[in-house]
Amino acid sequence: MGKAPKKRSLADKVRKTKTSSEIKNNPFEVKINRKKFDVLGRKSKHDVGLPGVSRSKAVNKRKETLLKEYKQKNRCSKFIDRRFGEYDTKMAPEDKILQRFTMERQRVHEKKDVYNLNEEEELTHYGQSLAEMEKFNDVVNSDDESEEKGLLSAELTASHFGGGGGLLRKKALGEEEEGGQRAKSRQELIEELIQKSKQEKRERQVQREEAQELTEKLDQDWKNIQSLMVKKTPKADKQEEKPKLEEYDMMVRELGFEMKAQPSEKMKTPEELAKEEREKLQKLEADRLRRMMGEEVVEGAQSQIHFSADDLNDGFILDKHDKKTLAYQEGSGEDDGHSDLESEQESENEEEEEASPKPKKTLSKEEVKAQQEAAKAELPYTFAAPESYNDLKDMLHGHTSDNQRLIVARTQKSNHPSLAVGNKLKLQKLFGFLLEYIGELATRSPPELSTIDKLIPEVYALCQMFPDAACKAMQSILGDAAHSMEETLEVKGHAAFPTLDMLIYLKVTALLFPTSDFRHPVTTPALLFISQALTKCPVRSLQDLTSGLVLCSLGVEYVSFSKRFLPELINFLVGTLHLAVQDKASLGMTLLYVPPFRASGKYSDLLVLSSSESCRSWSKKSLPLSATHYKTEMFIIVFFHRLTCLSTCLDLVKRCCLLYKDLPSFTHIFKPIRTLLSKHLSTQILPEPLQELSSEIVEAISSTPVTQSALVFDKRKPIPLKLLTPKIVEVLDYGKKRGSTREEREKERLKHKYKREFKGALREIRKDSRFLAREKLNEVMNRDAERKRKVKELMGSLATQEGEWKSLKRKKK
Amino acid sequence: MAPAKKRNVSSVKTAEKSAKKAKVDLSKTVERILESRKHANDVFDILESLQAEQEKEVISAVAACRELFCALLERKELFLGKLPGEEDALSGGYSAEDKYRIFMRHRYTSCVEILLEHLSHEQYDIKESAMCCLMKFAAGEGRHPLEDLDWSEHYSFPRELILALVDNLLSKATDNSLLISRFQEFLEMEDVRYYVMSSIRDNVGKVMEKNKGAVVPVYQNNVFTLMSSISMPNQESELTNFMVKQEGFLNAIRSSATQEHKRVFERMWLGFLKYKLPNSMYKKVLVILHDSILPYMSKPTLMIDFLTAAYEIGGAISLLALNGLFVLIHQHNLDYPDFYKKLYNLLEPSVFHVKYRARFFHLANVFLSSSHLPVYLVAAFAKRLARLALTAPPTALLLVLPFIYNLIRRHPSCRVLIHKPSAEDEPFEDPYLMDEEDPAQCRALESSLWEIKSLQKHYHPDVAKAALLINTPLSEQEDDISETLEVTTYELMEKDLKQPEIKSVPLEFETATRLLKGGGDVLGQHFCLT
């Protein structure tokens, strides 16, 4: 027993000298755990063990911990950490540190500041004053510092390193020197010593300062003399050079502080730009289609506002108008250096405008220039955002429409949200006011529609900035209008056609928001409003009819992209055509018309054309929007108005034909129109273009196939048969119980873990006690061996003594 | 201007003063007359001021009359029995007492006449006070009958007064609805109601005979207002509220009080409905028919003629007649041939637009809820409704689509309308005949509901979603259409407008430059700004 541990310790020693690889390669050290099955791809940690190594590790660890504890078992002295909060687990470490620091400071303050020369304390870094360090002026003194460092007086060394002995010695010396004086205590001695060293230090400092002053003086003198001594030229140069250098320094520093130029993207070729633009448009289009299908919007997938790559995000939107202003400032033509700044879209718009057949008021460049010059002369560049609607009205009052647009644009720019905090709210309000203003412009007589036209880009820009606010504003307008209409309907059963401002609002809605979405918070109610107006408002005059046709056109515009079915639109168009039939009796009781139109009545002949001669002189001209409200009594105008209405109606019918071509019930939807056009209207005198139009429509309707395949349900995925093959479950870890709830499994897991831990702890405790027992035994055996040895020694010495004594005795004998 | 104004003001003031004075005077006069018979002739003053121009004066005179004659009735100082002529009274051998009574009775009758005239006065206040006064008189007369009572248990009610009142109330020239609504409070009383009802019948008969059955809108309107304001008691025990508290009446009608009431009520309505009515009146009658007329008739089946006639008229009136017919069919075993055929023919585009849409669909839902209806009929209804849905507004669509689905659910053999797998391949024309009046002949079962397929492209998301349901087999559970019956467009709009949180509003990405641009330029092509 006694030998085993010794041996092991020897083995440990040997092992320690060996490297780990050596150990691993040693077949005697390695124990291979035999595996029952060889599972492919499984990595096991425990296939090879090093029992010797691990045992020695465990023994060592025990020696360091357990053995020490055991040895110190009955000792009383302990090291206790008395630092503040050392054993307080509740305290955060930062708090601890802070508390300790304050306590230390308090302690220092409570004591007399015997060691501190200065009244106030200094901030130090590695014992050096920070204030000193910042001056950097004692570089010169580095050498004498080193001197000081090198200085090792005998006394100092003695006092520093001599320890108590030195002091004692000194004390003895003092006793000798001063004789009768009372012996100084150790405390006093130390104080004395410190004072002495401080005095020395002070003296040294004074000396150093004096020396520095002297050197500076010398420098000064030298400068004075130098000017006399040396020739002027180089010096002048030098003197000039110095400020130059400063300037340069300044420049360098400035550049350093300036924002570093970011690596910009390389200039794009036109092809790349076009490609990018196309991709962006494609993405937006795909987005629109997705919304049209009513799929859920993926959060963040869409960017609401398109920023061009060069956008500075300052709300400065460069469009056609601005560009012209720029061109004027530069004093050059359209194609100046800024043309690359404008986005592709705008140029597209321009092209569109150029391509559009509609005659427009185009001002020549000179005129524009002149106008803008005038505008510049009178308009300030910044405007405060209007606080109320009246403010806006005052602001815009008396300006031309172009100027009004400029004012709004400038207001918007000078109050961009990035400039001040409250601007966002102000601009949101401005949007509401603008809408109100548009409504007012439309209700004026005559309506100032061209001004509205000018303001549209601004409204659009504002809407792009604040979609939510714009949505709210538009919704409230629509909601109010619909509510008032609903109320009149409840009281009277019918309502008047919406006024011009409402028509304009509907159009603006279509401009600001996508009309093709499956469901949209603004456009869906707007469509409902159109439908409501088309169903509930009876046509009582040509003006009403015009309003209705405007609504119809709006309806067609709303659904033109999505091709959604708008029954009210067809109803109204049928009703309108019905108004043009001269011989109502021939219609008979067919299901041709739907409310608000009636089979007969005071207003059912509104569009009947009476004279045939004037038909020839008629040519298609756009109706003014204001025709929805202003009456004319002149016969020929009324007559032309009728014809124009009819042609508009026919054109809308044609568009609808194209839109709804793919609907399964196309023929049934358009059957009334077909009968009206082919049987009743064809007999009447109509101008050439209208007749052509109507025959086109009839052809379009009759050319679509009338046959349909019968309805069937969508094919569903076939339900798989019940399979009887065993269910194969992938088992990821064996030995775990499955099929219970998560909590149960967790509980099982914890139980299992506890068990294992418990076993492990038990094993460890056993090993510990074994180790301790071994140590105790060792101790006992050592002690016994010692005693034996000593006894032996004694016995030996006694034996020799005895022997000697005996031999002496023998000798004596 | 100023002086004139002043004068005006002063004149108004004096008028007021005089009115006040007159009032004081009148009440004093009344007191005087009641005090002693010496001042009996002052009654002429009151009657004179009763015919005065000024409203206030008249009203105060009415009040005075009421006070005076009520007191006289109370004191029995009016002549009882058959009233002799005034001249006769003077010449006849009456005592002074009797003469006084005859005199007062004559004043009373003339006062009543004037008040009846006042019932057609322009001023509502005068009308009202006159009416109240007359009712007061009626109450007084009921308590102290002016007729000679031969036997004690005979019940006397001032029938003539009520009849005259009703005659004047049912004016042929002016709309008296306000006054009638005021009169309604008297109709709470059982006996008044009873006699008013019989008077109405008499009156209607008389007037309509005179007009030879032609339509008299104002008059009929008045009659209708008065009749519809009659609310019948529900139970016998309720017959407690009487104007004239006499044993006689109770005894007379107690045995079959409610029956009697009902009979009078019934006769009144039948008498009214016998004659030709204006269309609006038809609607009004039909609206309240099932609710406040039929339950109170002793023989509701008597209404069959009227209802069938109304049902034949077509349009909205037919729709409304359905309700009454339903009550008769349902509760009174009315057998109506071709009911469903007529119902089928009622389905027109206007069905979705009329005011009574909710009522109609509610009833249609009830009629078509039977699972014993033939398949062809249900299919015809479904197909026709689908066809009509092509012209319907979204609110109606949200109602009619679940309606059609419910029909298909109830009659699983109608499923071929939305699922016809055998004929899938070869396309064919829609065999359904829209113009065919007989649902049996319209070949709806051979067709499919392509209309709903078309509505899948409807602009309103809810409608499109509802229409999409036919792509898959319908669920077993029927949709509850009662919630969608009365949805208005505004409510539909609010669904979008009042969305609590909008994640982010999608915006148009095409930059708007001009007002008339965008969206295919339809508006810009046909209209210009100036």
Side-chain angles (χ1 to χ4, degrees), chain B residues 267-319:
Chain B
R267 256 186 256 144
M268 172 183 80
W269 274 108
L270 289 177
F272 176 65
L273 297 176
K274 201 159 63 180
Y275 301 98
K276 194 171 186 306
L277 296 176
N279 272 355
S280 60
M281 186 58 63
Y282 258 120
K283 285 185 194 165
K284 277 186 192 167
V285 172
L286 289 169
V287 166
I288 63 161
L289 187 73
H290 70 287
D291 209 33
S292 46
I293 302 178
L294 281 181
Y296 303 112
M297 290 176 69
S298 58
K299 281 187 208 149
T301 36
L302 290 175
M303 276 292 183
I304 288 174
D305 286 339
F306 173 72
L307 282 174
T308 42
Y311 194 43
E312 304 283 324
I313 289 178
I317 294 175
S318 301
L319 295 188

Side-chain angles (χ1 to χ4, degrees), chain A residues 379-396:
Chain A
L379 285 179
Y381 281 94
T382 55
F383 290 90
E387 290 296 320
S388 69
Y389 173 56
N390 283 334
D391 283 0
L392 178 78
K393 252 167 65 175
D394 291 343
M395 214 161 83
L396 298 179

Side-chain angles (χ1 to χ4, degrees), chain A residues 328-482:
Chain A
Y328 170 71
Q329 279 174 336
E330 301 266 320
S332 60
E334 289 229 6
D335 278 325
D336 55 2
H338 291 272
S339 55
D340 58 336
L341 280 175
E342 76 182 27
S343 71
E344 193 75 7
Q345 207 170 339
E346 276 140 25
S347 61
E348 266 179 19
N349 282 339
E350 265 189 2
E351 280 162 23
E352 254 176 49
E353 271 167 40
E354 279 160 18
S356 77
K358 217 187 97 189
K360 264 183 297 163
K361 226 176 33 177
T362 44
L363 297 170
S364 70
K365 251 174 239 169
E366 286 78 14
E367 276 177 310
V368 170
K369 269 185 197 176
Q371 251 183 19
Q372 274 159 3
E373 203 167 11
K376 266 186 212 322
E378 63 188 55
L379 285 179
Y381 281 94
T382 55
F383 290 90
E387 290 296 320
S388 69
Y389 173 56
N390 283 334
D391 283 0
L392 178 78
K393 252 167 65 175
D394 291 343
M395 214 161 83
L396 298 179
H397 182 71
H399 289 287
T400 62
S401 47
D402 280 315
N403 277 353
Q404 289 189 10
R405 179 197 193 281
L406 262 184
I407 290 172
V408 174
R410 283 175 186 173
T411 313
Q412 189 192 325
K413 275 168 206 164
S414 52
N415 290 289
H416 190 263
S418 60
L419 299 178
V421 182
N423 279 351
K424 198 174 163 193
L425 206 69
K426 280 183 192 166
L427 285 187
Q428 285 178 353
K429 273 196 212 156
L430 178 66
F431 181 81
F433 298 150
L434 265 183
L435 278 187
E436 210 177 329
Y437 185 61
I438 285 176
E440 202 207 278
L441 286 177
T443 42
R444 278 182 198 170
S445 62
E448 295 175 25
L449 296 178
S450 54
T451 312
I452 299 177
D453 192 30
K454 289 274 161 31
L455 286 174
I456 288 296
E458 297 313 317
V459 175
Y460 179 79
L462 275 173
C463 175
Q464 294 286 323
M465 282 166 92
F466 312 109
D468 287 342
C471 169
K472 287 265 158 56
M474 218 65 212
Q475 277 185 335
S476 73
I477 288 173
L478 284 171
D480 288 349

Side-chain angles (χ1 to χ4, degrees), chain B residues 8 15 20 23 37 56 113 158 170 185 200 256 258 267 276 285 293 324 348 376 384 401 414 454 460 481 518:
Chain B
N8 264 351
K20 212 174 264 176
K23 199 174 176 183
R37 293 180 182 166
K56 282 197 177 134
E113 267 164 29
L170 302 177
E185 90 180 40
I200 291 172
S256 54
T258 7
R267 256 186 256 144
K276 194 171 186 306
V285 172
I293 302 178
E348 282 173 17
Y376 75 87
R384 193 173 178 91
L401 289 178
C414 281
S454 305
H460 197 269
I481 62 159

